[in-house]
Amino acid sequence: MPPTPRAMKSRTAKTRLAIPLAAGASLALVGGVLLWSPAGEADATPNGTDTKAAFTAVAAGDIAEQCTSDDSDCVHPKTAALVEKLDPSFVMTMGDNQYDDARLRDFEDYYDTSWGAFKDKTRPVPGNHETYDPAGALKGYKSYFGSIAYPKGESYYSFDQDNWHFIALDSNSFDDKEQIDWLKADLAANSKKCVAAYWHHPLFSSGEHGNDPVSRPVWKLLYANKAELVMNGHDHHYERFAPQNPDGKADANGIVELLGGMGGANPYKIEEVQPNSEKRLTKKFGVVKLDFTDTGFSWNLVGTDGATKDSSPSYKCR
């Protein structure tokens, strides 16, 4: 039984008596007037989830071909213009940021002319093309991004935003015990409700590269720690998957995978559709605009023409 409300001192008192109703509606007595708030117009939804985005981020991989805006067919300046318009809190790049060998001078001549505008709020990870640098694997990548990509001296790191914990990994070295041990410790120390991770090589893909089992041990760690979202590049297309476990079995409590390799590099074909793949698009350049709340997330794929090409369901953190 709810407690009996105190009697009002007068008809004009500012006492507010809130009476919860079904489906999130409520009645409130304010200054002697009975006010009704229907579901969806109260301060929160019935389950207490804030429906407004706490912050917005942008994600894409496979970005800068060796071209500039002087070439009308060059795509990465167009996706960069889209990022500028969306003005996210931060930008996540999922590897192969610069083609073909990701040398420092290539970053400076191409990537920097477009996506370099957001360098100070970019949280990058390397792809396989960053390892092709003749000066040494990841040499140009590290020289260009500096402490942004190596905040603690390693090519993997994590950061927090509101109620979210983000983990940026280097999938070129998933066989490196040091990185895996770091990931275990990072997950154990995390105090945020929601967890997202991103790296280059996807465990699941319907594209030309296909599934990459090098990521499975990392998926298992993330799954065991109730992570919500994994983002990858490598295959040059867009794809979203229903929640699944590390073995590719549909699982309502599993991880959602987003493949966003359409940042500017030449598109790849869809070759073998994987189980749990819900949407696939190729030859559609753009970026993923992700809306995060304290208890969930959703996203839109926005094309270079400014139109929404796909919208995800809304997901809740576990």
Side-chain angles (χ1 to χ4, degrees):
M1 290 288 292
T4 303
R6 295 179 181 178
M8 296 177 58
K9 294 182 179 180
S10 69
R11 293 183 181 179
T12 59
K14 299 295 185 179
T15 303
R16 178 182 175 93
L17 174 63
I19 307 172
L21 300 179
S26 66
L27 289 172
L29 187 64
V30 181
V33 178
L34 195 62
L35 301 178
W36 174 59
S37 296
E41 295 184 11
D43 293 338
T45 55
N47 61 5
T49 302
D50 185 359
T51 59
K52 295 181 180 179
F55 62 94
T56 296
V58 160
D62 307 276
I63 297 168
E65 294 279 12
Q66 294 188 1
C67 60
T68 65
S69 58
D70 293 336
D71 180 353
S72 60
D73 293 328
C74 191
V75 178
H76 64 89
K78 300 174 183 178
T79 55
L82 189 56
V83 177
E84 182 178 12
K85 182 178 180 180
L86 294 172
D87 190 25
S89 296
F90 57 90
V91 175
M92 294 174 283
T93 65
M94 283 96 76
D96 285 3
N97 308 279
Q98 177 62 57
Y99 287 87
D100 286 326
D101 298 330
R103 297 168 293 187
L104 176 58
R105 71 171 181 263
D106 294 332
F107 271 105
E108 293 172 340
D109 290 346
Y110 306 110
Y111 182 95
D112 195 60
T113 66
S114 58
W115 285 62
F118 326 111
K119 184 177 177 179
D120 62 343
K121 63 177 179 181
T122 296
R123 304 294 178 262
V125 296
N128 51 294
H129 277 268
E130 274 80 18
T131 70
Y132 301 159
D133 186 348
L138 308 188
K139 182 72 172 181
Y141 169 81
K142 183 177 182 179
S143 296
Y144 178 75
F145 285 112
S147 62
I148 295 172
Y150 285 74
K152 294 186 177 180
E154 301 291 348
S155 56
Y156 44 87
Y157 56 95
S158 63
F159 60 96
D160 293 330
Q161 178 79 24
D162 293 355
N163 205 29
W164 279 83
H165 184 62
F166 293 89
I167 306 172
L169 298 171
D170 180 358
S171 57
N172 297 300
S173 56
F174 273 172
D175 57 352
D176 181 352
K177 184 176 184 297
E178 184 177 355
Q179 182 175 191
I180 300 303
D181 287 346
W182 173 88
L183 176 60
K184 291 177 181 177
D186 183 81
L187 288 167
N190 171 52
S191 61
K192 301 295 184 179
K193 177 178 177 62
C194 308
V195 177
Y198 60 104
W199 62 85
H200 188 59
H201 301 83
L203 177 56
F204 305 107
S205 173
S206 301
E208 292 183 26
H209 286 305
N211 296 352
D212 197 329
V214 71
S215 297
R216 183 165 283 111
V218 172
W219 257 73
K220 288 182 177 180
L221 286 172
L222 294 167
Y223 180 80
N225 285 272
K226 299 183 178 180
E228 278 71 39
L229 174 65
V230 160
M231 294 170 282
N232 307 118
H234 198 41
D235 263 329
H236 301 182
H237 72 279
Y238 165 85
E239 188 166 11
R240 62 174 165 86
F241 290 82
Q244 57 190 324
N245 67 23
D247 297 319
K249 303 296 184 184
D251 182 346
N253 293 314
I255 297 173
V256 174
E257 185 192 299
L258 161 61
L259 200 163
M262 63 302 132
N266 59 299
Y268 288 175
K269 295 181 292 184
I270 302 299
E271 292 203 340
E272 184 178 350
V273 177
Q274 297 300 308
N276 307 308
S277 175
E278 292 188 324
K279 184 74 173 185
R280 300 159 301 281
L281 292 170
T282 190
K283 298 182 181 180
K284 300 290 185 184
F285 295 106
V287 300
V288 179
K289 174 181 174 288
L290 296 118
D291 293 318
F292 295 97
T293 72
D294 281 347
T295 55
F297 65 100
S298 62
W299 73 78
N300 293 316
L301 171 64
V302 185
T304 52
D305 60 357
T308 297
K309 307 300 181 182
D310 183 50
S311 296
S312 78
S314 293
Y315 300 101
K316 290 183 179 180
C317 299
R318 293 193 283 160

